[in-house]
Amino acid sequence: MEDTEAAPAVNTASRVDVLGAWKANGLTVGAEYFTADNFTKAAVTTPVTDKADGYSVFGSYDIGDSGYSLFARYGAAKPSKDVAPSERDKYYNAGFAWKSNDNIIWALAYKADKLDNGANETKTDEVGVWAQVKF
């Protein structure tokens, strides 16, 4: 019960994303930057506004016409510049993908995330198989 008629939510959040990528001969490389202002970190009826920004770089390489590819991504963000200014988030992944048919792409990947607020550090690591299904 965060947004009610008795206390309507007021949201003045804004976000800007800039993405650039280049693709040629099976290689794709790119970078992205974002900045967000006045987004809410608390309940909608008692907002605490904050700012965030971050970037990522990514790439992939299609191995000829084999249906196989390699990919990787790295990202870093300051997810709470006003409320928790020492907080930093770093994320990366890398993997191998293969196309089993025109509608399914599989990926075996490693993903890692590290959130550090200056006092505590939370790390997650994942290895798994993911699928993208087109229908």
Side-chain angles (χ1 to χ4, degrees):
M1 189 172 93
E2 294 180 350
D3 185 12
T4 66
E5 289 183 27
V10 177
N11 191 344
T12 60
S14 64
R15 181 179 170 110
V16 174
D17 261 292
V18 178
L19 175 93
W22 174 80
K23 184 171 181 111
N25 301 320
L27 179 65
T28 302
V29 293
E32 178 182 20
Y33 171 79
F34 82 91
T35 181
D37 290 317
N38 295 325
F39 67 90
T40 301
K41 293 280 291 182
V44 175
T45 56
T46 56
V48 175
T49 59
D50 205 351
K51 294 180 182 176
D53 68 1
Y55 68 92
S56 67
V57 292
F58 57 89
S60 67
Y61 180 70
D62 296 332
I63 303 168
D65 292 331
S66 66
Y68 300 109
S69 62
L70 302 170
F71 62 89
R73 176 179 178 247
Y74 171 81
K78 297 176 187 172
S80 181
K81 292 173 78 171
D82 295 335
V83 176
S86 64
E87 193 171 76
R88 303 284 185 268
D89 188 24
K90 293 186 179 180
Y91 169 86
Y92 57 93
N93 69 41
F96 173 76
W98 66 97
K99 195 174 190 179
S100 61
N101 63 45
D102 287 340
N103 295 323
I104 302 174
I105 299 173
W106 298 91
L108 172 63
Y110 169 72
K111 299 185 341 179
D113 187 51
K114 181 174 100 172
L115 181 64
D116 186 349
N117 67 9
N120 297 310
E121 186 176 279
T122 304
K123 292 182 181 181
T124 58
D125 294 288
E126 295 179 58
V127 175
V129 176
W130 287 265
Q132 174 182 306
V133 179
K134 294 190 279 183
F135 53 92

